Amino acid sequence: MPARVRLARTTAALGTAVALSVTAPAAHAETTTPRHLTGTLADGATWIADVPAEWNGTLLLFSHGFGPTVAQDAPSDAARSELLAEGYALAGSSYDPKGSMWALESAERDQFATLGAVKAEIGTPRRTYSVGQSMGGLVNARIARDGAGRVDGALGLCGLVAGGTDLDNYQLDAEYAIALLLLPAEDLKLVNPDSAAEASATADRLTAAVTAAQASAQGRARVALAAAFLNLPTWAPGRDRPADDDWAGQEEQQYAWLAQGLLSFIEGGRYAVEQSVGGNNSWNRGVDYGRLLARSVHAPQVRALYRAAGLDLHADLKALTRGADITADPAAVSTAQRTSSAGQGLAVPLLDVHTTADNLVPVEQEERFADRVRASGDGALLRQAYVERQGHCAFTAAETVAALHAVEHRVTTGRWGDAATPAALQQAALRLGLDGAAYVPYRPGELTVGR
């Protein structure tokens, strides 16, 4: 079995088929309406909090993901209902609404300010945990690094923990491959869009090229190459997972992700990141695309599809390496490192949870993040767990709440023990009697980024 999966077949009982059949009603029911609080911070960010009548003394500080800068205090409505029913108070901020949706310049600051504002209203919690989702998972990792004395532990959900520059770099590699190999006569502006409309137009051209390429074996091989650089999973929603050696089936499901508007999301995100950091923070000058592919978990698939199509993979990789001339703005790279990176250390225990087939924040980001945390000497504080499911942040309420309970166990006892293992998380989630769970043993491959 390829290293990218390493799923133990003997754990099928922990998998989706069993887990998703658990649809019993919530084990708790709210008897009174929680107290809802709102406020405004010094930079104009808003905050909200919901406090149940029978508060258990624990406050959850939630960091929301990329999107409109609107205050949120829970990862989903279902999770909110269960957490309030269990007695947790919830809080979260919008981040500064005056700038980009990539609000990493203000997010961590505003989250800590929200803690102060909420404490002034409800008193000092017995325990405080940080929870973050998607881009908010990056905010959460930064809070776990910087929050000693302010938070006791942290739970990350589908977090963008490799950071903004790694994200923009591997997305650039994929779009560059599409542009050079599928649109060689066009001079597309892949970085520094002048407007959201220009970014959207670029995405439309790239998507059209991918759609046209899908009609031929040669085109599909090149789509697979771009997908490998994007770290795109080979398992799409509503599909059965293709076999480990079903190369054509894997590419077809990667294409399904791309056909759903993924490139439009990527280009819109790039525009927001560049707004936030003050310029282009990605580059490919000096990248050897042959070496980059060699480290990808998708390399066997790409090689097989190129052979089947009668294409010269070496020639395409040489052309990509030869044409790579995009440079970054050093000041933008520096700003992104300061505002949009994590992994330089941990001050409190952190459990990260990720789906195994995440199209927006590839699960391989967790391996990149773990390497950085271990290099900082704080590896003992980090645990990572995986849910066998397609999609970004596609967690059940049971999976989320069980993971929070594992963090609480670590903080209360001073050790992880078995609490964050796949079997323990799966059992804990199913015992909640909510909406099922699919925790599995899994180890992600290396993030294909090459910088």
Side-chain angles (χ1 to χ4, degrees):
M1 186 179 301
R4 69 178 182 275
V5 179
R6 303 183 188 177
L7 293 175
R9 299 298 187 190
T10 57
T11 61
L14 302 182
T16 306
V18 171
L20 295 184
S21 68
V22 181
T23 56
H28 306 276
E30 296 175 48
T31 57
T32 58
T33 302
R35 180 185 175 198
H36 184 71
L37 306 171
T38 64
T40 303
L41 302 175
D43 62 5
T46 57
W47 62 265
I48 62 172
D50 290 291
V51 185
E54 297 183 8
W55 181 32
N56 65 13
T58 298
L59 174 64
L60 306 183
L61 178 68
F62 178 70
S63 300
H64 69 75
F66 178 78
T69 46
V70 175
Q72 301 172 41
D73 63 7
S76 68
D77 289 341
R80 176 187 289 104
S81 295
E82 176 63 15
L83 291 167
L84 288 171
E86 292 192 11
Y88 296 97
L90 315 176
S93 73
S94 65
Y95 320 143
D96 186 348
K98 297 186 292 295
S100 162
M101 289 192 296
W102 185 264
L104 273 294
E105 183 72 54
S106 69
E108 184 180 10
R109 178 190 71 226
D110 288 334
Q111 289 295 86
F112 284 136
T114 294
L115 274 184
V118 173
K119 288 179 182 179
E121 294 284 342
I122 69 173
T124 300
R126 178 177 55 86
R127 291 269 168 78
T128 300
Y129 297 103
S130 175
V131 181
Q133 179 170 276
S134 192
M135 183 191 79
L138 175 55
V139 179
N140 179 69
R142 293 170 63 84
I143 290 173
R145 180 193 68 194
D146 303 331
R150 292 181 280 192
V151 299
D152 298 286
L155 170 63
L157 304 169
C158 53
L160 205 160
V161 287
T165 295
D166 278 351
L167 173 75
D168 274 358
N169 271 328
Y170 66 70
Q171 290 179 343
L172 173 62
D173 290 333
E175 293 187 312
Y176 168 66
I178 295 169
L180 186 74
L181 300 178
L182 301 181
L183 296 170
E186 298 190 24
D187 185 19
L188 287 180
K189 192 174 183 181
L190 299 178
V191 299
N192 283 319
D194 293 327
S195 65
E198 184 176 60
S200 178
T202 296
D204 289 346
R205 285 300 301 130
L206 294 169
T207 301
V210 168
T211 301
Q214 193 65 14
S216 70
Q218 293 83 2
R220 290 191 292 273
R222 285 169 166 154
V223 169
L225 178 60
F229 294 145
L230 192 56
N231 298 276
L232 193 61
T234 57
W235 185 23
R239 311 288 185 90
D240 292 331
R241 187 173 54 219
D244 293 340
D245 59 354
D246 181 5
W247 312 122
Q250 292 174 17
E251 187 279 335
E252 194 277 332
Q253 295 202 32
Q254 289 173 317
Y255 169 72
W257 287 118
L258 291 165
Q260 292 171 8
L262 178 57
L263 294 169
S264 293
F265 185 87
I266 287 171
E267 275 296 308
R270 175 178 294 281
Y271 179 66
V273 173
E274 291 189 5
Q275 278 187 308
S276 178
V277 302
N280 172 39
N281 63 310
S282 60
W283 66 94
N284 69 357
R285 178 173 289 178
V287 172
D288 182 327
Y289 281 90
R291 290 183 179 178
L292 189 63
L293 177 64
R295 292 195 292 268
S296 169
V297 296
H298 301 303
Q301 173 209 17
V302 173
R303 295 186 188 112
L305 291 176
Y306 263 78
R307 285 194 301 269
L311 275 179
D312 186 339
L313 176 58
H314 181 66
D316 275 1
L317 293 170
K318 281 188 67 175
L320 288 167
T321 300
R322 186 170 56 250
D325 61 359
I326 297 172
T327 58
D329 177 348
V333 174
S334 178
T335 298
Q337 175 65 21
R338 177 175 56 82
T339 66
S340 308
S341 65
Q344 298 93 336
L346 293 175
V348 298
L350 168 64
L351 171 60
D352 268 353
V353 181
H354 223 110
T355 51
T356 58
D358 189 329
N359 58 317
L360 297 184
V361 180
V363 67
E364 290 85 3
Q365 284 213 15
E366 294 291 348
E367 185 66 16
R368 184 85 157 176
F369 177 66
D371 285 346
R372 291 169 175 164
V373 172
R374 286 191 290 265
S376 76
D378 292 329
L381 289 171
L382 177 67
R383 290 293 184 273
Q384 293 164 303
Y386 302 96
V387 168
E388 189 179 26
R389 191 171 298 122
Q390 316 99 304
H392 180 53
C393 302
F395 301 114
T396 65
E399 289 159 353
T400 300
V401 175
L404 174 64
H405 290 169
V407 175
E408 289 184 298
H409 170 86
R410 169 61 178 81
V411 171
T412 301
T413 66
R415 59 187 184 87
W416 287 106
D418 294 331
T421 63
L425 287 166
Q426 181 71 4
Q427 292 167 7
L430 294 180
R431 279 198 301 268
L432 291 169
L434 297 171
D435 46 359
Y439 280 105
V440 293
Y442 183 85
R443 181 175 177 179
E446 180 182 345
L447 185 71
T448 301
V449 65
R451 279 75 160 177

